[in-house]
Amino acid sequence: DAGITQSPRYKITETGRQVTLMCHQTWSHSYMFWYRQDLGHGLRLIYYSAAADITDKGEVPDGYVVSRSKTENFPLTLESATRSQTSVYFCASSPPIGVLYNEQFFGPGTRLTVL
Amino acid sequence: NEVEQSPQNLTAQEGEFITINCSYSVGISALHWLQQHPGGGIVSLFMLSSGKKKHGRLIATINIQEKHSSLHITASHPRDSAVYICAVKVRGADGLTFGKGTHLIIQP
């Protein structure tokens, strides 16, 4: 399917476990982003990537690890999940500099609960 | 906060003209209006760097000098009920910075 997908859509895990959230896009967009959405905070940037093998921290990166070995995939790993990481996670992608630069396209979200 | 939205919550009757405001305090290269339905998905409505854009019953305006944007909905309908989020692309940054959203309910 064309577009941007996330898996799983829902995940329940326990404190201390490692969890990986997947994000896949079919547009060959250069930029990919991970955001988390929490009540009272809105959406906040965790990590982003400008291209394969290039990643950088956002506003709230602590406790998260990302990688981008292929342009189309941008997994987010919680190395040792904590209750404060219970949230809804959105992946987004954006074309390279050009006509649609700045436009972001969002995945459907992953609802993560850490018990 | 770099991006402030008002009001936080808005309940209106079907057919009313709706205005949601967004103010920001940083230099930006673009401003986005996003819509998030109860199911959770986020859809981009507009991306603005100047002036005004219209799509159907939705109108978005931006005043760069005043660092302010408005989203208007004409002839509102219950299906417009959603959270509307203002986000800015800060000049020199790569991600978006978001407001906390306006929760809109349109009653029949």
Side-chain angles (χ1 to χ4, degrees), chain A residues 29-48:
Chain A
H29 284 170
S30 298
Y31 283 87
M32 295 187 76
F33 307 86
W34 275 106
Y35 298 97
R36 59 178 289 174
Q37 185 177 37
D38 305 290
L39 278 174
H41 286 284
L43 285 143
R44 292 177 292 176
L45 180 64
I46 304 171
Y47 267 98
Y48 66 97

PDB file of all heavy atoms in Angstrom, chain A residues 29-48:
ATOM      1  N   HIS A  29      10.488   9.624   0.621  1.00  0.00           N
ATOM      2  CA  HIS A  29      10.749  10.913   1.244  1.00  0.00           C
ATOM      3  C   HIS A  29      12.077  10.880   1.984  1.00  0.00           C
ATOM      4  O   HIS A  29      12.425   9.895   2.631  1.00  0.00           O
ATOM      5  CB  HIS A  29       9.634  11.261   2.238  1.00  0.00           C
ATOM      6  CG  HIS A  29       8.378  11.718   1.590  1.00  0.00           C
ATOM      7  ND1 HIS A  29       7.192  11.883   2.292  1.00  0.00           N
ATOM      8  CD2 HIS A  29       8.101  12.063   0.314  1.00  0.00           C
ATOM      9  CE1 HIS A  29       6.259  12.317   1.474  1.00  0.00           C
ATOM     10  NE2 HIS A  29       6.791  12.429   0.254  1.00  0.00           N
ATOM     11  N   SER A  30      12.800  12.007   1.892  1.00  0.00           N
ATOM     12  CA  SER A  30      14.098  12.085   2.563  1.00  0.00           C
ATOM     13  C   SER A  30      13.947  12.125   4.079  1.00  0.00           C
ATOM     14  O   SER A  30      14.652  11.451   4.813  1.00  0.00           O
ATOM     15  CB  SER A  30      14.851  13.333   2.115  1.00  0.00           C
ATOM     16  OG  SER A  30      15.115  13.305   0.743  1.00  0.00           O
ATOM     17  N   TYR A  31      13.036  12.975   4.535  1.00  0.00           N
ATOM     18  CA  TYR A  31      12.908  13.229   5.963  1.00  0.00           C
ATOM     19  C   TYR A  31      11.878  12.310   6.600  1.00  0.00           C
ATOM     20  O   TYR A  31      10.805  12.067   6.048  1.00  0.00           O
ATOM     21  CB  TYR A  31      12.472  14.686   6.211  1.00  0.00           C
ATOM     22  CG  TYR A  31      13.574  15.696   6.044  1.00  0.00           C
ATOM     23  CD1 TYR A  31      13.849  16.237   4.796  1.00  0.00           C
ATOM     24  CD2 TYR A  31      14.334  16.112   7.128  1.00  0.00           C
ATOM     25  CE1 TYR A  31      14.859  17.172   4.633  1.00  0.00           C
ATOM     26  CE2 TYR A  31      15.348  17.051   6.986  1.00  0.00           C
ATOM     27  CZ  TYR A  31      15.606  17.569   5.726  1.00  0.00           C
ATOM     28  OH  TYR A  31      16.611  18.490   5.584  1.00  0.00           O
ATOM     29  N   MET A  32      12.222  11.828   7.794  1.00  0.00           N
ATOM     30  CA  MET A  32      11.255  11.086   8.606  1.00  0.00           C
ATOM     31  C   MET A  32      11.382  11.542  10.055  1.00  0.00           C
ATOM     32  O   MET A  32      12.473  11.976  10.494  1.00  0.00           O
ATOM     33  CB  MET A  32      11.475   9.582   8.483  1.00  0.00           C
ATOM     34  CG  MET A  32      11.200   9.063   7.065  1.00  0.00           C
ATOM     35  SD  MET A  32      11.252   7.267   6.924  1.00  0.00           S
ATOM     36  CE  MET A  32       9.675   6.814   7.670  1.00  0.00           C
ATOM     37  N   PHE A  33      10.263  11.478  10.754  1.00  0.00           N
ATOM     38  CA  PHE A  33      10.181  12.044  12.098  1.00  0.00           C
ATOM     39  C   PHE A  33       9.432  11.080  13.018  1.00  0.00           C
ATOM     40  O   PHE A  33       8.524  10.373  12.576  1.00  0.00           O
ATOM     41  CB  PHE A  33       9.393  13.368  12.084  1.00  0.00           C
ATOM     42  CG  PHE A  33       9.897  14.376  11.092  1.00  0.00           C
ATOM     43  CD1 PHE A  33       9.462  14.359   9.769  1.00  0.00           C
ATOM     44  CD2 PHE A  33      10.791  15.355  11.483  1.00  0.00           C
ATOM     45  CE1 PHE A  33       9.921  15.290   8.850  1.00  0.00           C
ATOM     46  CE2 PHE A  33      11.253  16.288  10.568  1.00  0.00           C
ATOM     47  CZ  PHE A  33      10.819  16.255   9.256  1.00  0.00           C
ATOM     48  N   TRP A  34       9.772  11.126  14.295  1.00  0.00           N
ATOM     49  CA  TRP A  34       8.984  10.478  15.324  1.00  0.00           C
ATOM     50  C   TRP A  34       8.527  11.535  16.323  1.00  0.00           C
ATOM     51  O   TRP A  34       9.337  12.336  16.833  1.00  0.00           O
ATOM     52  CB  TRP A  34       9.786   9.409  16.078  1.00  0.00           C
ATOM     53  CG  TRP A  34       9.794   8.089  15.406  1.00  0.00           C
ATOM     54  CD1 TRP A  34      10.819   7.503  14.728  1.00  0.00           C
ATOM     55  CD2 TRP A  34       8.701   7.157  15.363  1.00  0.00           C
ATOM     56  NE1 TRP A  34      10.440   6.271  14.265  1.00  0.00           N
ATOM     57  CE2 TRP A  34       9.150   6.031  14.640  1.00  0.00           C
ATOM     58  CE3 TRP A  34       7.392   7.153  15.857  1.00  0.00           C
ATOM     59  CZ2 TRP A  34       8.342   4.922  14.400  1.00  0.00           C
ATOM     60  CZ3 TRP A  34       6.604   6.055  15.617  1.00  0.00           C
ATOM     61  CH2 TRP A  34       7.076   4.949  14.900  1.00  0.00           C
ATOM     62  N   TYR A  35       7.199  11.525  16.581  1.00  0.00           N
ATOM     63  CA  TYR A  35       6.604  12.412  17.566  1.00  0.00           C
ATOM     64  C   TYR A  35       5.863  11.575  18.603  1.00  0.00           C
ATOM     65  O   TYR A  35       5.390  10.494  18.304  1.00  0.00           O
ATOM     66  CB  TYR A  35       5.580  13.353  16.920  1.00  0.00           C
ATOM     67  CG  TYR A  35       6.121  14.294  15.875  1.00  0.00           C
ATOM     68  CD1 TYR A  35       6.018  13.987  14.517  1.00  0.00           C
ATOM     69  CD2 TYR A  35       6.716  15.492  16.232  1.00  0.00           C
ATOM     70  CE1 TYR A  35       6.492  14.861  13.550  1.00  0.00           C
ATOM     71  CE2 TYR A  35       7.187  16.376  15.267  1.00  0.00           C
ATOM     72  CZ  TYR A  35       7.075  16.052  13.933  1.00  0.00           C
ATOM     73  OH  TYR A  35       7.554  16.923  12.986  1.00  0.00           O
ATOM     74  N   ARG A  36       5.738  12.118  19.805  1.00  0.00           N
ATOM     75  CA  ARG A  36       4.841  11.526  20.777  1.00  0.00           C
ATOM     76  C   ARG A  36       3.774  12.555  21.162  1.00  0.00           C
ATOM     77  O   ARG A  36       4.033  13.771  21.151  1.00  0.00           O
ATOM     78  CB  ARG A  36       5.586  11.036  22.023  1.00  0.00           C
ATOM     79  CG  ARG A  36       6.358  12.068  22.791  1.00  0.00           C
ATOM     80  CD  ARG A  36       7.011  11.456  24.043  1.00  0.00           C
ATOM     81  NE  ARG A  36       6.016  11.113  25.067  1.00  0.00           N
ATOM     82  CZ  ARG A  36       6.296  10.470  26.187  1.00  0.00           C
ATOM     83  NH1 ARG A  36       7.544  10.064  26.445  1.00  0.00           N
ATOM     84  NH2 ARG A  36       5.343  10.204  27.067  1.00  0.00           N
ATOM     85  N   GLN A  37       2.576  12.043  21.440  1.00  0.00           N
ATOM     86  CA  GLN A  37       1.464  12.917  21.781  1.00  0.00           C
ATOM     87  C   GLN A  37       0.939  12.557  23.152  1.00  0.00           C
ATOM     88  O   GLN A  37       0.507  11.419  23.380  1.00  0.00           O
ATOM     89  CB  GLN A  37       0.342  12.806  20.747  1.00  0.00           C
ATOM     90  CG  GLN A  37      -0.790  13.787  20.991  1.00  0.00           C
ATOM     91  CD  GLN A  37      -1.860  13.723  19.917  1.00  0.00           C
ATOM     92  OE1 GLN A  37      -2.180  12.667  19.404  1.00  0.00           O
ATOM     93  NE2 GLN A  37      -2.404  14.879  19.558  1.00  0.00           N
ATOM     94  N   ASP A  38       0.960  13.508  24.049  1.00  0.00           N
ATOM     95  CA  ASP A  38       0.505  13.317  25.420  1.00  0.00           C
ATOM     96  C   ASP A  38      -0.472  14.419  25.792  1.00  0.00           C
ATOM     97  O   ASP A  38      -0.295  15.569  25.378  1.00  0.00           O
ATOM     98  CB  ASP A  38       1.701  13.375  26.390  1.00  0.00           C
ATOM     99  CG  ASP A  38       2.776  12.386  26.030  1.00  0.00           C
ATOM    100  OD1 ASP A  38       2.530  11.183  26.203  1.00  0.00           O
ATOM    101  OD2 ASP A  38       3.851  12.806  25.557  1.00  0.00           O
ATOM    102  N   LEU A  39      -1.459  14.055  26.605  1.00  0.00           N
ATOM    103  CA  LEU A  39      -2.407  15.062  27.084  1.00  0.00           C
ATOM    104  C   LEU A  39      -1.656  16.163  27.816  1.00  0.00           C
ATOM    105  O   LEU A  39      -0.772  15.893  28.628  1.00  0.00           O
ATOM    106  CB  LEU A  39      -3.406  14.412  28.049  1.00  0.00           C
ATOM    107  CG  LEU A  39      -4.578  13.677  27.412  1.00  0.00           C
ATOM    108  CD1 LEU A  39      -5.394  12.977  28.478  1.00  0.00           C
ATOM    109  CD2 LEU A  39      -5.444  14.637  26.612  1.00  0.00           C
ATOM    110  N   GLY A  40      -2.000  17.394  27.506  1.00  0.00           N
ATOM    111  CA  GLY A  40      -1.372  18.518  28.179  1.00  0.00           C
ATOM    112  C   GLY A  40      -0.085  19.008  27.538  1.00  0.00           C
ATOM    113  O   GLY A  40       0.395  20.090  27.848  1.00  0.00           O
ATOM    114  N   HIS A  41       0.475  18.166  26.635  1.00  0.00           N
ATOM    115  CA  HIS A  41       1.728  18.567  25.982  1.00  0.00           C
ATOM    116  C   HIS A  41       1.572  18.719  24.485  1.00  0.00           C
ATOM    117  O   HIS A  41       2.386  19.346  23.835  1.00  0.00           O
ATOM    118  CB  HIS A  41       2.825  17.536  26.251  1.00  0.00           C
ATOM    119  CG  HIS A  41       3.361  17.578  27.642  1.00  0.00           C
ATOM    120  ND1 HIS A  41       4.240  18.547  28.079  1.00  0.00           N
ATOM    121  CD2 HIS A  41       3.142  16.783  28.707  1.00  0.00           C
ATOM    122  CE1 HIS A  41       4.537  18.332  29.343  1.00  0.00           C
ATOM    123  NE2 HIS A  41       3.887  17.271  29.751  1.00  0.00           N
ATOM    124  N   GLY A  42       0.586  18.125  23.928  1.00  0.00           N
ATOM    125  CA  GLY A  42       0.506  18.126  22.480  1.00  0.00           C
ATOM    126  C   GLY A  42       1.557  17.199  21.890  1.00  0.00           C
ATOM    127  O   GLY A  42       2.091  16.313  22.558  1.00  0.00           O
ATOM    128  N   LEU A  43       1.897  17.410  20.656  1.00  0.00           N
ATOM    129  CA  LEU A  43       2.881  16.588  19.962  1.00  0.00           C
ATOM    130  C   LEU A  43       4.277  17.148  20.178  1.00  0.00           C
ATOM    131  O   LEU A  43       4.481  18.363  20.106  1.00  0.00           O
ATOM    132  CB  LEU A  43       2.577  16.570  18.455  1.00  0.00           C
ATOM    133  CG  LEU A  43       1.397  15.693  18.054  1.00  0.00           C
ATOM    134  CD1 LEU A  43       0.601  16.334  16.930  1.00  0.00           C
ATOM    135  CD2 LEU A  43       1.901  14.323  17.617  1.00  0.00           C
ATOM    136  N   ARG A  44       5.224  16.255  20.423  1.00  0.00           N
ATOM    137  CA  ARG A  44       6.615  16.679  20.614  1.00  0.00           C
ATOM    138  C   ARG A  44       7.545  15.785  19.804  1.00  0.00           C
ATOM    139  O   ARG A  44       7.336  14.576  19.723  1.00  0.00           O
ATOM    140  CB  ARG A  44       6.999  16.618  22.097  1.00  0.00           C
ATOM    141  CG  ARG A  44       6.288  17.649  22.957  1.00  0.00           C
ATOM    142  CD  ARG A  44       6.662  17.496  24.410  1.00  0.00           C
ATOM    143  NE  ARG A  44       6.144  16.270  24.987  1.00  0.00           N
ATOM    144  CZ  ARG A  44       6.394  15.852  26.213  1.00  0.00           C
ATOM    145  NH1 ARG A  44       7.215  16.546  26.990  1.00  0.00           N
ATOM    146  NH2 ARG A  44       5.861  14.732  26.653  1.00  0.00           N
ATOM    147  N   LEU A  45       8.580  16.389  19.254  1.00  0.00           N
ATOM    148  CA  LEU A  45       9.520  15.687  18.390  1.00  0.00           C
ATOM    149  C   LEU A  45      10.502  14.878  19.224  1.00  0.00           C
ATOM    150  O   LEU A  45      11.149  15.408  20.133  1.00  0.00           O
ATOM    151  CB  LEU A  45      10.262  16.700  17.523  1.00  0.00           C
ATOM    152  CG  LEU A  45      11.301  16.162  16.546  1.00  0.00           C
ATOM    153  CD1 LEU A  45      10.642  15.286  15.483  1.00  0.00           C
ATOM    154  CD2 LEU A  45      12.056  17.320  15.883  1.00  0.00           C
ATOM    155  N   ILE A  46      10.643  13.597  18.885  1.00  0.00           N
ATOM    156  CA  ILE A  46      11.568  12.719  19.607  1.00  0.00           C
ATOM    157  C   ILE A  46      12.897  12.655  18.858  1.00  0.00           C
ATOM    158  O   ILE A  46      13.954  12.972  19.391  1.00  0.00           O
ATOM    159  CB  ILE A  46      10.980  11.299  19.740  1.00  0.00           C
ATOM    160  CG1 ILE A  46       9.609  11.332  20.405  1.00  0.00           C
ATOM    161  CG2 ILE A  46      11.931  10.408  20.546  1.00  0.00           C
ATOM    162  CD1 ILE A  46       8.878   9.985  20.359  1.00  0.00           C
ATOM    163  N   TYR A  47      12.845  12.193  17.615  1.00  0.00           N
ATOM    164  CA  TYR A  47      14.010  12.081  16.745  1.00  0.00           C
ATOM    165  C   TYR A  47      13.568  12.351  15.325  1.00  0.00           C
ATOM    166  O   TYR A  47      12.407  12.189  14.981  1.00  0.00           O
ATOM    167  CB  TYR A  47      14.599  10.659  16.799  1.00  0.00           C
ATOM    168  CG  TYR A  47      15.698  10.448  17.807  1.00  0.00           C
ATOM    169  CD1 TYR A  47      15.408   9.893  19.056  1.00  0.00           C
ATOM    170  CD2 TYR A  47      17.025  10.759  17.516  1.00  0.00           C
ATOM    171  CE1 TYR A  47      16.420   9.677  19.986  1.00  0.00           C
ATOM    172  CE2 TYR A  47      18.033  10.546  18.443  1.00  0.00           C
ATOM    173  CZ  TYR A  47      17.722  10.010  19.674  1.00  0.00           C
ATOM    174  OH  TYR A  47      18.722   9.788  20.590  1.00  0.00           O
ATOM    175  N   TYR A  48      14.533  12.712  14.492  1.00  0.00           N
ATOM    176  CA  TYR A  48      14.244  12.829  13.081  1.00  0.00           C
ATOM    177  C   TYR A  48      15.451  12.379  12.271  1.00  0.00           C
ATOM    178  O   TYR A  48      16.551  12.216  12.801  1.00  0.00           O
ATOM    179  CB  TYR A  48      13.822  14.250  12.701  1.00  0.00           C
ATOM    180  CG  TYR A  48      14.890  15.297  12.842  1.00  0.00           C
ATOM    181  CD1 TYR A  48      15.650  15.709  11.750  1.00  0.00           C
ATOM    182  CD2 TYR A  48      15.111  15.924  14.063  1.00  0.00           C
ATOM    183  CE1 TYR A  48      16.612  16.689  11.876  1.00  0.00           C
ATOM    184  CE2 TYR A  48      16.083  16.894  14.204  1.00  0.00           C
ATOM    185  CZ  TYR A  48      16.827  17.274  13.112  1.00  0.00           C
ATOM    186  OH  TYR A  48      17.788  18.244  13.257  1.00  0.00           O
TER     187      TYR A  48
END
